[in-house]
Amino acid sequence: MSIPSSKSGSQQEGLDTLPRDDVVLIEVAWEVTNKVGGIYTVIQTKAKITIDEWGENYVMMGPYFEQNARTQVELVEPHNTAIKRTIDSMNSKGCKVYFGRWLIEGNPCVILFDVGATAWNLDRWKAELWDCCAIGIPWYDREANDAVLFGFLITWFLGEFVSQCGGNCPFIITHFHEWLSGIGLIMCRTRNIPVATIFTTHATLLGRYLCAGNVDFYNNIAHFDADREAGERQIYHRYCMERAAVHCTHVFTTVSHITAVEAEHLLKCKPHVVTPNGLNLKTFSAIHEFQNLHSKNKMRIQEFVRGHFYGHLDFDLDKTIYFFIAGRYEFTNKGADVFLEALSRLNYLLRTHQSRVTVVAFFIMPARTNNFNVETLKGQAIRKQLWDSVNIVKEKFGKKLYETLLVGELPEANKMIDQEDFIMMKRALLSTQRHSLPPICTHNMLDDSTDPILITIRRIGLFNHPNDRVKVIFHPEFLSSTSPLLPLDYEEFVRGCHLGVFPSYYEPWGYTPAECTVMGIPSVSTNLSGFGCFMEQHITDPSAYGIYILDRRFKSLDECCNQLTSFLYSFSQQSRRQRIIQRNRTERLSDLLDWRYLGRYYTHARLLALAKAFPSDFSHDRAQISSSFHYSRSPSYSPSFSYHSSPYYSDSESEPYNEDEEAEKDRESIKMDTMLDLVHERNKNVEDTFAAFRNSSINNLSTPTRPSDPPSTTTSSPSKPTNPSDANKPTNPSTSDSPSKPTNPSDANNLTNPSTSGSPSKPTNPSDANNLTNPSTSGSPSKPTNPSDANNLTNPSTSGSPSKPTNPSEANNLTNPSTSGSPSKPTNPSEANNLTNPSTSGSPSKPTNPSEANEPTNPSRTTDASSA
């Protein structure tokens, strides 16, 4: 799939020429060269695309830690004389400032500050913070004290740099990430340092604490007293730092729309731009070998499973699929509770249906341990011993077979394996005898009796019993290729699994499902995670592409568990061929998560910050740029485009499958590269058509539908796409004359009682699908022009072509359809309410949508436009 391009004309030039010699971009984060959280991944992966755009005018700032700088940073002399003079000036006044290059892809310049070396300034700087912002920092909060030191050092550097540049000072954009760097932004504004500021919150501080406390967060988000909640959790000073930075910055951004809602309620500020997190796809590129990598790493996982379940390996590994959940050990926030409950229900379903499929679910979450589990280590040792014994017997057997054939004799089975070989195999077989169940946890837990995962496993009874079709393995440690148990790093492990399950309750973005996607592994996410919301916005039918979105916002916990169980069960019933096809489709979504595509949102934020900070030097049409970066679903984006390219699930391994054709269909379904141009062209064509139709019509027409609405259908003719690109797309042909085409992905599930007519109804609003409770059996059911009409069609006509009201209120008045042969024609819009006895003649009524003015008309129709 090609990377979308939304720039055109003068706007294209404006965006391309942004990095000028007189503009410097500085990115500030506590995670620069310091791997302590997910923001580290954002900073690291985005560096390459930012360097390509800004070159040497891009600088990062972060804290200096000796152990990190020794392995990740090459200390060099600054290339910029003003930066060199600034660093020398600060070092001469008691600071320790280092300049170097971060040894990651792109080798960006970094300026690191030793916050401990300037601790002698802490009391003075905290007093200044209190005087200007009334934010008091307690002495015992070391993390907040470090944030104060770090922020004031950033401010000191920026002020000194502007002073050193003198009259030749460039325009400076300073991008601050999270509350730990927020003090620097606050002090830059209070000291009136001429810099354009951007502040990004990757997750609100209070939101993390509230969700960690098991509260009903999203249902009560509008009712929380933020000050009181922060005070009760003893983070009020941190909350004030974050909120002050949000309100002081020129541009405030968040990483997802769900986090934007959170920030609007808790921080009392609506973000200006949403900047989704991306990945550097070059890191994950496999040159179309990801299927082979899956097979290779799956075999390595199978070797671990053989050892872990020795003595109870009574299930077929060829019919075993691997699920996993990974991340920080936040039992409820990461959805481990929902996953375990769904596994229990999945186990019941598989046993009830006597399925031959076995599911092995891995929990990769670091917890407090003291060593490996002896039983787990023993299993791997026995597996290796058995493998070595088999290799010895195999080598001896091969030698004897070769010698026997060499003399021209046929081998005799009783002479190929001697008594010594039988004794060796008996000893190996004896060692595989086991009188206990395979362990759940691979390590010795320090808090075994209070661990949430182990407590839940004991409650639901998943103990890896031979009768269980779902097996659980808890690995309370990050994966490593040097581990004696599972010698795989995280990327290799993910490629070997079949499905990543991340039913998170609080997930501002979600890098784990994103990494699964770029590696071609299907995943489960939720509509409370940034990744899930992003995919729902960009993909019409995410489940067809291996992205299962769990509804955790509008469903109860029990309903969520049932929905997840349904996802897992349907996935477990797929054949090997079906899973291969789905992995191909999942991998094609990678470009949506590439920084080359998502970097445009950051470009938007920088342009907006420059325009706000330096309005006399930079102009920025916010509305125009915002529309250019908005990729919402258009009416032409319907599930039918996913349906016609959805994998045809069949157990037949010999059935023909053309990967190139499937890829081409997917490129049409995820049509992002020229969508904006097509939308603008469609809007222009609709406006022109509407103007022509209005000029040729009589003034007593009813109120027409909006130009942006999709054109209504007529009788049994196929529907007409509202987007120019749709004309060349297949529209999922079915057995009906004109298949229904919902305008929202959720509509596909809502058409629970479809009509048997030749042209099913097509709701013009996503909610209409639920309202068609009594569809007509006519050849062309009526189509309301207002969402509320769907509720009013309580007694649809059974005639060949029902009339179509031209006013929303008409739906209530069609109480007694007539069987006359000529439909009534109102001469005034107000007469629409008086059509109490409309005709059901064979001549269908003509819609009032302007876009249909150029469509071929039925010869039986009147030629007067006012007859619509």
Side-chain angles (χ1 to χ4, degrees), residues 406-519:
L406 195 62
V407 297
E409 297 179 0
L410 289 175
E412 296 182 13
N414 57 349
K415 294 182 179 180
M416 292 295 102
I417 300 180
D418 53 25
Q419 188 65 24
E420 182 181 354
D421 296 333
F422 273 108
I423 294 175
M424 182 183 298
M425 289 188 290
K426 286 182 179 181
R427 287 176 177 173
L429 187 62
L430 182 62
S431 66
T432 62
Q433 301 302 309
R434 186 183 229 170
H435 303 289
S436 62
L437 294 175
I440 298 293
C441 188
T442 59
H443 292 62
N444 294 326
M445 301 288 293
L446 292 180
D447 301 320
D448 183 279
S449 60
T450 59
D451 183 79
I453 290 181
L454 296 180
I455 290 175
T456 306
I457 288 176
R458 295 185 186 108
R459 177 177 61 82
I460 62 180
L462 285 180
F463 298 119
N464 293 339
H465 194 273
N467 294 332
D468 290 332
R469 296 272 55 84
V470 174
K471 319 288 185 179
V472 178
I473 299 176
F474 180 23
H475 190 279
E477 193 177 65
F478 284 127
L479 295 169
S480 172
S481 57
T482 59
S483 171
L485 288 181
L486 191 56
L488 292 170
D489 60 28
Y490 179 72
E491 181 183 342
E492 293 172 330
F493 175 78
V494 171
R495 289 189 184 275
C497 290
H498 295 93
L499 181 70
V501 185
F502 312 103
S504 304
Y505 181 75
Y506 185 77
E507 190 72 75
W509 174 246
Y511 260 119
T512 44
E515 290 168 346
C516 287
T517 301
V518 300
M519 287 187 278

Side-chain angles (χ1 to χ4, degrees), residues 3 49 277-282 518 589-599:
I3 298 299
I49 189 66
N277 292 334
L279 288 165
N280 185 358
L281 293 192
K282 185 176 181 181
V518 300
L589 299 179
S590 298
D591 285 345
L592 285 176
L593 302 171
D594 193 351
W595 276 121
R596 291 177 298 165
Y597 167 52
L598 297 179

Side-chain angles (χ1 to χ4, degrees), residues 774-786:
N774 187 15
S776 171
T777 57
S778 62
S780 176
S782 60
K783 174 186 173 187
T785 58
N786 188 289

Side-chain angles (χ1 to χ4, degrees), residues 293-306 322 496:
L293 290 174
H294 167 75
S295 178
K296 174 183 175 183
N297 290 299
K298 184 181 70 172
M299 293 178 62
R300 298 172 67 181
I301 295 177
Q302 285 179 343
E303 287 302 305
F304 166 79
V305 170
R306 287 188 175 99
Y322 303 105

Side-chain angles (χ1 to χ4, degrees), residues 375-401:
E375 188 67 18
T376 306
L377 287 173
K378 178 182 176 182
Q380 299 305 315
I382 290 176
R383 177 194 61 80
K384 188 177 185 305
Q385 177 187 359
L386 187 61
W387 178 256
D388 293 339
S389 300
V390 169
N391 281 334
I392 293 174
V393 174
K394 182 175 64 175
E395 184 177 351
K396 293 172 64 177
F397 179 88
K399 185 177 180 180
K400 292 179 181 179
L401 179 63

Side-chain angles (χ1 to χ4, degrees), residues 47 73 83 126 148 189 198 215 310-311 316 358 404 410 445 472 558 576 602-603 610 641 644 663 733 736 741 777 822:
V73 180
I83 292 179
K126 288 169 73 172
V148 172
R189 297 305 304 275
I198 305 173
V215 300
Y310 81 91
D316 187 358
T358 302
T404 302
L410 289 175
M445 301 288 293
V472 178
D558 184 66
R576 178 177 176 273
Y602 279 85
T603 301
L610 282 173
F641 292 142
H644 77 72
S736 62
K741 178 183 175 185
T777 57
S822 174

Side-chain angles (χ1 to χ4, degrees), residues 119-157:
W120 50 274
N121 275 319
L122 180 60
D123 290 338
R124 180 167 62 88
W125 284 344
K126 288 169 73 172
E128 182 180 350
L129 183 64
W130 172 260
D131 292 338
C132 67
C133 302
I135 299 177
I137 308 299
W139 62 270
Y140 57 82
D141 191 343
R142 180 174 179 178
E143 194 173 14
N145 289 333
D146 287 344
V148 172
L149 293 171
F150 182 54
F152 272 88
L153 284 170
I154 296 296
T155 307
W156 187 350
F157 181 92

